Amino acid sequence: MTADEKYLGWRTAVDQQLSEIYCITIEDAGFDEEYINRHWKSSETPAELVEWFGNKYDLDRRPSPSRTACR
């Protein structure tokens, strides 16, 4: 796997976690490629970046789906 493929996989994971946790995308968050790339180069995990971002801007997490009993 090339460095570009690793970066794109990492970037996709950040986007997925932002969507799953906060219902936003990388673009909604205002991240440009330079900003994302800097975090990737610092060996930060997607979860660490998303958690930091959510805490910094005091974002509300997406409500957990309610569990309904099977009938």
Side-chain angles (χ1 to χ4, degrees):
M1 184 179 282
T2 68
D4 286 341
E5 291 171 328
K6 288 179 184 178
Y7 169 73
L8 290 175
W10 184 90
R11 186 187 189 285
T12 298
V14 169
D15 200 40
Q16 288 173 338
Q17 288 190 19
L18 283 169
S19 178
E20 290 170 8
I21 297 170
Y22 298 113
C23 296
I24 62 174
T25 65
I26 284 177
E27 289 77 22
D28 296 334
F31 296 166
D32 63 17
E33 285 305 312
E34 182 180 323
Y35 181 82
I36 292 286
N37 197 285
R38 192 170 49 244
H39 282 273
W40 178 69
K41 286 180 179 177
S42 74
S43 299
E44 195 168 0
T45 67
E48 290 169 336
L49 173 56
V50 171
E51 181 179 351
W52 170 83
F53 181 77
N55 288 335
K56 179 177 181 178
Y57 293 102
D58 196 26
L59 299 180
D60 292 328
R61 288 173 146 312
R62 175 186 210 169
S64 298
S66 61
R67 297 182 184 204
T68 56
C70 295
R71 297 178 188 189

